[in-house]
Amino acid sequence: MIDVWQHSPVPLVFAVPGPLGAPATLSELVGPQHGTVTLPLHLARPGLTTFDLDQPRLWMNYCRIVLTEGAQDDLVQFLSRDLLVSLWPTLRTLVSRDVREVWESSFDELAHEAQATA
């Protein structure tokens, strides 16, 4: 188990699945899978705020922002379970080690996807 309380440079509200961060199960992630999405300013501060999810590179950037900046409500609203699981092997390389370890230790599906491509 990771001691995120002591070692995480990522704010705990964003890093810890469960009541402090991500939902208890990936099935709660019901965000969009296609089309154009505009993130609220509290997520995508200055910079790119509108993302075409049909372009893989933009989707990866979008997802990285939501994973690292989003509160639980943001994660549920903006992330798609199916896309997160299918693209996790690449996406996991774009987030911090702390975020990656917390999500993979909390969600077997993500850990399995990571191991399958290793």
Side-chain angles (χ1 to χ4, degrees):
M1 181 121 223
I2 300 166
D3 183 3
V4 294
W5 293 103
Q6 192 170 36
H7 301 292
S8 179
V10 179
L12 292 175
V13 71
F14 306 126
V16 181
L20 294 176
T25 66
L26 291 179
S27 63
E28 294 178 45
L29 303 177
V30 295
Q33 294 187 18
H34 300 285
T36 301
V37 178
T38 300
L39 290 176
L41 291 178
H42 73 274
L43 289 178
R45 296 168 223 210
L48 186 63
T49 58
T50 301
F51 300 84
D52 180 351
L53 303 186
D54 296 314
Q55 295 184 28
R57 186 170 288 182
L58 286 177
W59 187 88
M60 292 287 183
N61 192 29
Y62 162 89
C63 195
R64 182 189 53 78
I65 290 168
V66 175
L67 279 171
T68 58
E69 301 294 330
Q72 187 172 5
D73 290 344
D74 299 317
L75 297 168
V76 169
Q77 179 181 355
F78 293 109
L79 294 179
S80 159
R81 179 226 165 265
D82 293 340
L83 284 176
L84 182 68
V85 171
S86 68
L87 297 174
W88 184 254
T90 302
L91 182 60
R92 69 186 300 275
T93 67
L94 304 176
V95 296
S96 73
R97 183 161 134 231
D98 291 322
V99 170
R100 179 176 59 245
E101 287 178 354
V102 168
W103 280 74
E104 288 178 357
S105 67
S106 299
F107 301 113
D108 291 339
E109 287 176 271
L110 298 181
H112 175 72
E113 288 298 317
Q115 290 173 355
T117 59

